[in-house]
Amino acid sequence: MKRRTFLDVFLAASGAALAAFVAYPIARYLVPPKAPEAATRRVVAAKQDELAPGGFKIFPFGGEPGILIRGRNGEYRALSAVCTHLGCTVQLRPDGQSIWCACHNGLYDLEGRNVSGPPPRPLESYVVHVIGGDVVVEKAKGA
Amino acid sequence: MNLADWLRERLGLEALDHVIEKKRVPVHRHTFWYYWGGMTLFLFGVQVATGILLVLYYRPSADEAYESVRFLMTQVSFGWLIRSIHSWSANLLVGAAMIHMFSAFMLKSYRRPREVTWLTGMGLFVLCLAFGFSGYLLPWNQLAFFATKVGTDIMGSVPLVGPFLARLLRGGDQITGGTLTRFFGFHVAILPLCMTALLGIHLFLVQWHGMSVPPGAEQPVAAPKQEMKFVPDFLLRDLVGWLAALGALALLAALFPWELGLKADPYAFAPAGIKPEWYFGYMFQTLRMIPSRVLGIEGELLGIVGFGLGALVWALVPFLDAPDGRGPRARFWRVVGVLAMLYVVVFTLLVYRGGPS
Ligand code: HEM
Ligand code: FES
C-alpha cells in the first residue's frame, strides 16, 4: 500500500470512529428510559356510594385510564378505557347500554366486546370487589 | 468616502449587485404560480417572528403550559393577537406550501437540473407538517392531547420501526408532560434548525438554476425573451401578495381568535369532535374509510404503507418523468398530478361534510 493511500484510509477510519463516538451517546440519549413496569394490579377506583346507578367514571390504573361503570341495578364492572383502535379514552353512552369511543366512532358492548367501528379487539376486563366501602379493581389472574 | 461606500467595500457588496442585476423571472401564462414559493417564505417569517414572541411567555410543562397560554390570551397585551396569528399563519403556511408544491409538479419544474431542488422542497414540506403536529400539542388542551395520542399511535403501527418511533416521539409509552417537553424541543429548536438549513439549500438552488419555464410555455430561441427583472419588478409584486397575506392574518386573528378549549386531562374521556388540523385531514379521512381488515391485513397498516409508498413516488417523480417534459410519459405524470390534487381536495372536504363522526 502506498503511504498516501494508507494515510487516506487511516484518516477516514479515524473520522468514522470519532463520528460514532459522538453519535452513539446522542442516539442513546434520545431514546427515553424504560419506565419501571407498572406493577399496579389493584387499585381503589371509587368509594362505594360515589357513582349513582347508570353512572361511570374514568380512574387511573397503573398509568393508564380505566373505566368503572355502575349498572342500573347497582352492580359494578370495570374495563380498560384505552380504545383498542388508536388509544383514545372511551366513555359510557348516555343510554347506559354501550361503551363508545368518540375519536372514530368505535362501539363496544358492556362486556367490552368490539361491536362496530374501527376497534379491532375487545377492551380488557378487570375484576371488581367491593371491600369495606371501597370499589377495588384488580387485573384478572394471568392478564 | 461615505459610510455606504465604506460598507460596500468591506462587505463585498459588488458581487451581490451583480446577482441582483442579473436575476430575471420568465413571463408567460403560468407566471402566477411563481409567487407561491415567496408566499410560503413570507409566512414562515411570520411564524419565526411570532413564535419567538410566544416563547417569552410559554412554559413547556404539563402543569403550566395550559395556564401560561391562558395567561397570554387574557392578561398579556396583544397576547391573543400574537397567538392567533401564529396559529392562523401556520395553517396558511401549509396551504401555501401545498399550492407551491402542486404547481411545481404540474409545471414540471422538477426536471433536470432541478431534481435536488424538488427533493429539498419535499423535505421542507414534511418539516412544515412536523412543525404543525408538534405545535398543536403545546397548549396542552383536550383536543390536542387526543389528536397527538391518535397521531403517535398511527406512527406506532408503521411496520418494524413503529413502536420504537412512537416511544421516541412521546418520550415514553404514554402522552405525558415528558411528551410536551419533547415536542417543545422539536418545535422551537430541532425543527427550526433543520428548516433553516434545508431552506438555505433550497433557496440557493432556486437562485443558482434560475426559474424554470414549463414545457408548454417555452419560446423560440430567436424571439426576444419574455421576462421581468426580479428587483424591483417581481419583488414589488411579491410584496403586494405579502401585504395582502398580512392583512388576511390580522383579519382572521381579530375575527376568529384561536380557541384554547379545556385543559388536557389524561383521565378524562375523549370528547366528540377529535380531529387533526385540516392538513392531516385527507390522511385521517382515508384511515377512517379503510375497513379494519382488508384481505386479512390490518386496514391501518395498509393505509400507512400506502401513504409511505405514495410519498416515495412523489419524491422520485423527477427521475420517473420524461426529461424533456413531452410525450405520453409526461402526459401520464400530469394525470397523476391532477388525480393527486383531486384526492387531497375531495378527502379534505369529506372531513368537514358533517354527518356521522
Ligand atoms: C422558529 C419558529 C417557531 C417558534 C419559535 C415557534 C414557537 C411556538 C410556541 C412557543 C408555541 C406555543 C404557544 C401556543 O400554543 O400558542 C407554538 C405553537 C404552535 N406553532 Fe409554532 N413556532 C415556530 C414555527 C412554527 C411553524 C413554522 C409552524 C408551521 C406549521 C408552527 C405551528 C404551530 C402551531 C400549529 C401551534 C399551536 C398553536 C396553538 O394552538 O396555540 N410553528 N409555536
Ligand atoms: S381511537 Fe377509538 S375508535 Fe379510533
Side-chain angles (χ1 to χ4, degrees):
Chain A
M1 194 188 279
K2 287 230 196 71
R3 188 157 73 180
R4 179 96 224 171
T5 331
F6 172 78
L7 284 177
D8 281 350
V9 169
F10 187 72
L11 192 64
S14 315
L18 182 62
F21 277 125
V22 175
Y24 180 74
I26 295 180
R28 288 298 302 267
Y29 178 89
L30 290 176
V31 181
K34 266 258 176 278
E37 198 55 46
T40 326
R41 296 195 56 87
R42 209 179 145 88
V43 68
V44 176
K47 291 273 165 222
Q48 193 183 353
D49 47 6
E50 190 180 326
L51 285 179
F56 77 101
K57 77 175 275 196
I58 306 290
F59 62 95
F61 192 12
E64 291 198 350
I67 184 168
L68 179 70
I69 299 172
R70 184 149 195 210
R72 297 246 185 265
N73 306 324
E75 79 286 4
Y76 287 102
R77 60 179 89 225
L79 306 122
S80 159
V82 181
C83 181
T84 56
H85 179 221
L86 293 171
C88 282
T89 307
V90 297
Q91 56 184 294
L92 184 68
R93 270 277 177 91
D95 65 9
Q97 295 308 309
S98 48
I99 299 173
W100 182 56
C101 175
C103 283
H104 314 97
N105 211 17
L107 208 61
Y108 303 85
D109 65 14
L110 290 181
E111 312 295 322
R113 286 182 294 245
N114 44 321
V115 176
S116 72
R121 280 182 309 281
L123 298 169
E124 186 186 343
S125 312
Y126 303 136
V127 183
V128 187
H129 313 277
V130 179
I131 304 171
D134 285 336
V135 184
V136 176
V137 171
E138 199 173 3
K139 285 220 165 119
K141 295 244 156 51
Chain B
M1 191 187 259
N2 62 28
L3 183 65
D5 287 337
W6 187 88
L7 270 177
R8 293 180 67 74
E9 196 184 316
R10 302 300 177 288
L11 300 180
L13 290 187
E14 276 79 18
L16 200 62
D17 281 351
H18 186 65
V19 172
I20 289 173
E21 182 55 33
K22 260 187 61 181
K23 193 168 168 62
R24 295 283 193 283
V25 178
V27 176
H28 46 72
R29 63 178 191 282
H30 301 302
T31 298
F32 173 72
W33 302 110
Y34 290 146
Y35 292 103
W36 288 93
M39 180 61 85
T40 314
L41 183 63
F42 170 73
L43 291 170
F44 179 65
V46 172
Q47 289 308 94
V48 174
T50 50
I52 289 172
L53 292 173
L54 288 175
V55 172
L56 300 183
Y57 286 99
Y58 179 76
R59 300 177 186 200
S61 81
D63 293 334
E64 291 184 307
Y66 180 85
E67 286 75 7
S68 73
V69 177
R70 194 174 53 196
F71 176 77
L72 182 97
M73 295 289 283
T74 56
Q75 308 288 315
V76 179
S77 311
F78 294 111
W80 63 274
L81 181 67
I82 302 297
R83 170 163 182 258
S84 298
I85 290 188
H86 193 75
S87 306
W88 276 112
S89 173
N91 285 281
L92 299 194
L93 166 63
V94 179
M98 276 191 186
I99 294 176
H100 178 52
M101 182 172 76
F102 279 116
S103 58
F105 189 97
M106 295 313 291
L107 298 181
K108 299 194 179 292
S109 324
Y110 48 68
R111 286 171 306 138
R112 186 176 170 220
R114 297 184 179 78
E115 297 94 329
V116 179
T117 319
W118 172 259
L119 288 174
T120 52
M122 280 281 295
L124 287 170
F125 186 70
V126 171
L127 285 178
C128 282
L129 296 183
F131 258 116
F133 186 68
S134 57
Y136 196 55
L137 179 67
L138 298 185
W140 199 244
N141 54 25
Q142 284 280 14
L143 230 60
F145 180 83
F146 284 110
T148 306
K149 193 151 193 167
V150 170
T152 50
D153 242 43
I154 290 177
M155 283 180 232
S157 47
V158 171
L160 301 178
V161 292
F164 173 78
L165 201 65
R167 260 176 66 74
L168 189 71
L169 282 176
R170 290 178 186 158
D173 295 315
Q174 310 286 334
I175 309 278
T176 60
T179 316
L180 180 62
T181 306
R182 202 161 257 250
F183 272 41
F184 180 70
F186 292 144
H187 193 79
V188 310
I190 298 178
L191 291 172
L193 184 74
C194 298
M195 187 91 168
T196 308
L198 209 56
L199 189 59
I201 302 177
H202 191 73
L203 293 179
F204 171 77
L205 289 174
V206 168
Q207 165 59 30
W208 180 252
H209 292 301
M211 303 307 296
S212 78
V213 177
E218 283 143 351
Q219 290 133 13
V221 189
K225 279 208 162 140
Q226 299 282 321
E227 53 185 22
M228 64 170 117
K229 290 179 76 171
F230 181 75
V231 182
D233 300 332
F234 192 80
L235 191 59
L236 284 174
R237 288 170 171 81
D238 258 340
L239 279 174
V240 174
W242 298 353
L243 209 58
L246 195 63
L249 282 175
L251 203 65
L252 285 169
L255 295 182
F256 312 103
W258 208 255
E259 302 216 354
L260 182 53
L262 292 174
K263 183 173 174 173
D265 174 358
Y267 297 110
F269 55 81
I274 296 292
K275 55 172 171 285
E277 296 252 73
W278 68 268
Y279 41 85
F280 294 115
Y282 64 95
M283 296 195 244
F284 174 74
Q285 184 65 25
T286 311
L287 289 179
R288 198 154 64 167
M289 283 167 62
I290 299 181
S292 66
R293 299 207 150 264
V294 184
L295 303 171
I297 305 170
E298 216 170 293
E300 255 357 276
L301 189 68
L302 208 67
I304 291 163
V305 173
F307 284 126
L309 290 179
L312 189 67
V313 171
W314 195 251
L316 292 182
V317 71
F319 310 100
L320 303 173
D321 198 352
D324 61 354
R326 285 170 204 289
R329 192 136 65 109
R331 255 194 312 278
F332 170 78
W333 286 104
R334 195 168 295 130
V335 173
V336 170
V338 172
L339 290 180
M341 279 192 288
L342 273 180
Y343 164 65
V344 170
V345 170
V346 170
F347 274 64
T348 306
L349 290 178
L350 277 180
V351 179
Y352 300 92
R353 147 211 65 167
S357 56

